[in-house]
């Protein structure tokens, strides 16, 4: 087994950045990667009886997206005209004509967005009496725009308004007062999350009938199917829509910021809301609406600084030695794991000391976190997989005669996830074999039952969390982290980490199997079993097997067998 040492060139994405892009490429570029969404919107614009549900996410900048959609299927503005036939007056929509008489309502623009405090009048309009006692129609959104975007939360919980909208879609018209029936002209687009769509589709039959078209907003771009130039034009169009322009130097920090958000070297975020806010902040720092790389860099640094108070308090606890976590030397049954602390607006990595003890028992590997109700279900699953690995290697033919206790030391909140299972396994091997673990290395990775190391989340935050601790204590050149090989495409590390790796002051090792990790941590070959499932004595698993045999009493060749024989051996008449 040979773990690979990750080079500095693999620690961040590499982009072929475009140059000399036009500052205002057009709002249509904001629909990058939105092919499915555009298809649904196009159908909704052409089929009068089929309306659309737009499933977006928290990072969507709705004003720019909705404007781009509406302009992708422009409709000529119309007016509502009253025509008298016989004794009846009919209302019909027609294209606006100069000098036409009998106009009741005129469309004011291409689209509108309704949300928050939505009233019946906002949606349908109302009849009002002027000073002369004459009734006039005060038009609502459905008579003012061909495309009406409605936040689903603002209408669905108001049962009366929801039923009025469903009735209007059913009949193709809606009543205003007792005297007027307005034919429906608008295309309605409900906007909400994919989860809300699923709930509505499952529980509301009227919704299913009137909103058959689903348009789901794509949240990231894949560089294997699109190019950096496509994304550069998207950024330029987004900046232009808010009144900014991007200099060429601004593209690299924006690309890295976007890739970090996706946790992937070949994917870029389409979360425009964060970008728009970042543009505004950079414009203040740079004192210009023309955004340079220095202004973007500062905005990103200050963004982190405003949200990382928990991380700074955590670092202080380590620096004051309130939390015991060595980063040098060797210890038996102790290992440095890597965790991620998630809050609503910020995530950061925090090392965790994991310890294991073993003693004679019935083969249970006890998860103290679970027993103390501080471990989640996924963490418990990881511990069960760890136990399965142990029994697969050493318990094929007979039960194990040991009990083990594994715990996250100084942990006072719930721990979940299976990303610590590799570290816990290595710690258990150390405790059983009594071989010390190198404390300069921290470990993260999830195991399957066959010992393969699987990808984990938050790999960048975990690496940076341990690096920051080591940097504050002084980089020795021996410190580093062990990560799953499957996470290499997610690496997008802080430049100071990359520089330290380049200078060989810090190391990142990628492993595919748990045996690679134990060999690296304990400087011993893991060992390969022979046909009788025995490991060589000078290997780690050989030492583990020998300890397990001692616990089972299989190597007591010089001791009398059985309780009675041991008691008789203590009596004088039993000795020769």
């Amino acid at each position: 087994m040979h773990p690979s040492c990750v080079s500095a060139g693999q620690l961040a994405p590499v982009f072929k950045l475009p140059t000399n892009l036009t500052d205002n490429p057009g709002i249509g570029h904001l629909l990058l990667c939105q092919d499915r969404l555009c298809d649904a919107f196009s159908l909704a614009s052409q089929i009068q009886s089929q309306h659309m549900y737009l499933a977006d996410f928290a990072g969507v900048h709705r004003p720019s997206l909705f404007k781009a959609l509406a302009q992708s299927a422009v409709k000529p503005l119309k007016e509502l005209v009253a025509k008298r036939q016989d004794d009846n007056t009919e209302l019909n929509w027609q294209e606006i004509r100069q000098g036409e008489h009998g106009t009741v309502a005129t469309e004011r623009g291409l689209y509108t967005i309704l949300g928050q405090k939505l009233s019946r009048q906002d949606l349908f309009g109302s009849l009002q009496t002027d000073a002369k006692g004459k009734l006039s129609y005060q038009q609502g959104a459905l008579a003012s725009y061909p495309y009406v975007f409605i936040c689903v939360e603002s209408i669905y919980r108001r049962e009366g308004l929801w039923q009025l909208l469903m009735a209007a879609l059913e009949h193709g018209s809606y009543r205003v007062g007792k005297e007027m029936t307005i034919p429906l002209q608008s295309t309605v687009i409900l906007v909400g999350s994919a989860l809300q769509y699923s709930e509505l589709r499952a529980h509301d039959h009227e919704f299913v009938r009137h909103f058959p078209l689903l348009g789901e907003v794509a949240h990231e771009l894949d560089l294997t199917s699109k190019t950096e130039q496509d994304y550069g034009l998207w950024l330029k169009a987004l900046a232009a829509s808010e009144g900014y322009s991007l200099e060429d130097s601004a593209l690299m920090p924006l690309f890295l910021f976007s890739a970090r958000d996706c946790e992937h070297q070949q994917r870029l975020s389409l979360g425009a809301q964060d970008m728009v806010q970042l543009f505004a902040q950079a414009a203040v720092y740079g004192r210009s609406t023309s955004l340079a790389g220095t202004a973007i860099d500062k905005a990103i640094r200050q963004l982190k600084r405003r949200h990382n108070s928990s991380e700074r308090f955590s670092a202080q606890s380590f620096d004051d030695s309130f939390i015991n976590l060595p980063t040098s030397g060797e210890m038996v049954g102790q290992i440095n794991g890597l965790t991620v602390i998630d809050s609503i607006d910020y995530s950061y990595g925090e090392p965790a000391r994991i310890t294991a003890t073993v003693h004679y028992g019935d083969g249970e590997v006890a998860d103290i976190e679970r027993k103390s109700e501080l471990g989640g279900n996924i963490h418990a699953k990881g511990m069960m997989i760890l136990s399965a690995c142990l029994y697969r290697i050493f318990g094929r033919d007979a039960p194990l005669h040991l009990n083990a206790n594994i715990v996250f030391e100084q942990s006072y909140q719930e721990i979940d996830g299976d990303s610590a299972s590799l570290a816990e396994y290595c710690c258990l091997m150390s405790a059983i074999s009594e071989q010390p673990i190198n404390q300069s290395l921290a470990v993260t990775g999830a195991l399957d039952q066959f010992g393969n190391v699987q990808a984990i989340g938050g790999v960048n935050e975990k690496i940076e969390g341990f690096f920051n601790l080591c940097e504050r204590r002084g980089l020795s050149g021996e410190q580093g982290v062990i990560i799953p090989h499957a996470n290499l495409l997610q690496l997008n590390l802080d430049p100071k980490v990359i520089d330290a790796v380049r200078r060989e002051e810090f190391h990142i090792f990628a492993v595919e199997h748990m045996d690679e990790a134990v060999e690296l941590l304990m400087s011993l070959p893991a060992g390969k079993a022979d046909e009788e499932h025995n490991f060589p004595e000078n290997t780690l698993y050989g030492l583990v097997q020998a300890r397990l045999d001692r616990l089972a009493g299989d190597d007591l060749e010089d001791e009398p067998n059985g309780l009675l024989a041991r008691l008789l051996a203590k009596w004088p008449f039993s000795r020769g």
Side-chain angles (χ1 to χ4, degrees):
M1 297 288 179
H2 300 286
S4 60
C5 189
V6 184
S7 66
Q10 297 174 274
L11 301 182
V14 178
F15 300 114
K16 296 178 181 178
L17 294 181
T19 57
N20 301 320
L21 296 177
T22 178
D23 282 334
N24 192 357
I27 197 168
H29 287 280
L30 295 180
L31 298 177
L32 178 64
C33 297
Q34 305 298 345
D35 300 339
R36 295 184 303 162
L37 174 62
C38 290
D39 178 67
F41 190 83
S42 176
L43 288 173
S45 70
Q46 297 177 66
I47 305 174
Q48 186 68 26
S49 61
Q50 295 191 13
H51 301 268
M52 173 181 163
Y53 186 97
L54 191 153
D56 67 355
F57 56 96
V60 168
H61 186 245
R62 288 180 172 179
S64 62
L65 177 64
F66 297 168
K67 183 177 181 181
L69 277 174
Q71 292 194 4
S72 72
V74 175
K75 290 183 177 181
L77 297 184
K78 296 184 178 182
E79 60 185 357
L80 185 62
V81 177
K83 292 185 178 181
R84 189 170 185 83
Q85 291 185 351
D86 299 330
D87 295 332
N88 298 319
T89 300
E90 292 187 357
L91 298 177
N92 294 292
W93 288 98
Q94 64 181 33
E95 290 189 19
I96 296 176
R97 300 174 185 174
Q98 294 295 331
E100 182 77 24
H101 298 287
T103 299
V104 177
T106 303
E107 290 183 332
R108 301 167 180 168
L110 194 56
Y111 74 101
T112 188
I113 306 171
L114 301 179
Q116 300 301 321
K117 296 180 179 180
L118 178 63
S119 68
R120 175 175 178 171
Q121 183 173 340
D122 294 333
L123 194 58
F124 300 104
S126 63
L127 289 178
Q128 295 188 1
T129 305
D130 60 17
K132 296 181 180 180
K134 183 180 179 180
L135 283 175
S136 63
Y137 174 49
Q138 302 297 314
Q139 61 195 74
L142 292 178
S144 301
Y145 305 93
Y147 298 117
V148 179
F149 294 87
I150 305 175
C151 178
V152 69
E153 291 181 349
S154 68
I155 189 169
Y156 185 67
R157 293 178 181 176
R158 301 186 60 190
E159 186 174 351
L161 195 57
W162 176 261
Q163 293 302 329
L164 284 174
L165 176 61
M166 292 299 108
L169 299 180
E170 177 71 23
H171 298 106
S173 62
Y174 53 91
R175 292 186 63 83
V176 179
K178 296 180 180 179
E179 294 82 6
M180 185 176 290
T181 300
I182 308 292
L184 181 66
Q185 169 66 17
S186 300
T187 297
V188 177
I189 302 100
L190 290 180
V191 184
S193 68
L195 178 60
Q196 289 170 322
Y197 172 80
S198 299
E199 292 176 351
L200 285 168
R201 191 167 180 85
H203 300 111
D204 194 311
H205 296 295
E206 291 182 332
F207 171 82
V208 174
R209 188 163 63 254
H210 300 304
F211 291 90
L213 299 173
L214 170 65
E216 193 164 4
V217 180
H219 64 280
E220 63 185 24
L221 172 147
D222 190 340
L223 283 175
T224 62
S225 59
K226 299 291 183 180
T227 67
E228 288 90 341
Q229 178 163 335
D230 293 328
Y231 194 73
L233 290 170
W234 181 83
L235 288 172
K236 290 268 191 175
L238 184 62
S241 71
E242 297 299 306
Y244 306 107
S245 62
L246 298 178
E247 298 180 12
D248 286 346
S249 62
L251 293 182
M252 180 55 82
L254 288 174
F255 270 65
L256 291 173
F257 177 78
S258 179
R260 177 77 178 230
D261 187 51
C262 289
E263 291 190 290
H264 202 288
Q265 293 184 357
Q266 296 177 353
R267 293 176 190 163
L268 298 168
S269 173
L270 295 173
Q273 183 66 50
D274 291 340
M275 287 294 184
V276 166
Q277 293 169 347
L278 191 67
F279 293 157
Q281 295 159 19
V284 173
Y285 289 128
R287 298 184 178 182
S288 173
T289 57
S290 180
L291 308 180
T294 52
I296 296 293
D297 275 328
K298 183 172 183 179
I300 293 172
R301 289 197 308 271
Q302 293 300 103
L303 173 65
K304 179 178 179 180
R305 186 171 179 267
R306 290 193 299 273
H307 292 262
N308 71 347
S309 58
S310 295
E311 183 179 20
R312 286 187 277 122
F313 286 132
S314 171
Q316 190 64 53
S317 296
F318 283 99
D319 295 345
D320 292 340
S321 298
F322 295 153
I323 298 178
N324 175 28
L325 194 139
T327 55
S328 62
E330 295 182 330
M331 293 184 178
V332 174
Q334 300 185 42
I335 194 170
N336 292 328
L338 298 172
T339 67
V340 171
I341 308 299
D342 287 312
S343 61
I344 294 174
D345 59 346
Y346 189 73
S347 298
Y348 64 93
E350 184 176 272
R353 180 166 160 259
I354 302 171
T355 63
T357 59
V358 298
H359 55 275
Y360 180 83
D362 58 3
E364 179 189 11
V365 178
D367 177 12
I368 293 180
E369 306 299 326
R370 186 66 171 174
K371 289 191 172 183
S372 60
E373 298 184 357
L374 287 176
N377 293 332
I378 300 176
H379 182 261
K381 177 184 176 182
M383 287 294 298
M384 294 175 191
I385 292 173
L386 184 156
S387 299
C389 286
L390 182 67
Y391 272 88
R392 179 182 61 83
I393 299 173
F394 301 106
R396 291 186 177 188
D397 303 320
L400 301 181
H401 293 272
L402 93 158
N403 275 12
N405 295 308
I406 300 178
V407 66
F408 277 73
E409 300 289 357
Q410 294 184 279
S411 169
Y412 308 107
Q413 58 188 357
E414 181 173 312
I415 293 174
D416 206 359
D418 60 353
S419 63
S421 54
L422 174 61
E424 290 166 332
Y425 175 82
C426 296
C427 191
L428 181 58
M429 291 297 101
S430 170
I432 298 174
S433 66
E434 299 181 322
Q435 292 298 302
I437 288 176
N438 183 355
Q439 301 298 298
S440 299
L441 298 176
V443 184
T444 183
L447 292 179
D448 69 10
Q449 292 193 91
F450 299 95
N452 299 306
V453 180
Q454 302 172 123
I456 45 84
V459 65
N460 294 298
E461 290 83 356
K462 290 177 177 179
I463 294 172
E464 291 169 356
F466 189 67
F467 174 85
N468 291 336
L469 176 61
C470 294
E471 183 186 42
R472 294 196 305 272
R473 293 179 176 180
L475 295 174
S476 65
E478 297 179 355
Q479 294 142 336
V481 296
I482 298 173
I483 65 170
H485 190 275
N487 282 109
L488 288 182
L489 272 178
Q490 293 181 301
L491 294 178
N492 189 353
L493 295 170
D494 191 290
K496 67 178 182 178
V497 182
I498 299 174
D499 291 340
V501 171
R502 186 175 289 113
R503 296 191 303 267
E504 297 186 354
E505 295 177 348
F506 193 78
H507 308 279
I508 298 174
F509 300 96
V511 298
E512 296 184 73
H513 194 272
M514 63 188 188
D515 292 353
E516 300 174 50
V518 296
E519 289 178 352
L520 192 59
L521 289 163
M522 287 174 263
S523 300
L524 274 177
K528 187 174 181 180
D530 58 22
E531 294 179 356
E532 297 180 355
H533 304 302
N534 293 319
F535 292 92
E537 293 181 0
N538 59 346
T539 64
L540 177 67
Y541 289 163
L543 295 173
V544 171
Q545 193 171 52
R547 176 75 184 280
L548 293 173
D549 288 343
R550 290 198 300 273
L551 288 171
D554 293 341
D555 65 341
L556 303 177
E557 297 178 357
D558 298 329
E559 292 293 326
N561 294 323
L563 176 62
L564 180 59
R566 289 198 297 272
L567 291 174
L568 291 173
K570 295 181 180 180
W571 294 354
F573 66 81
S574 68
R575 298 175 183 174

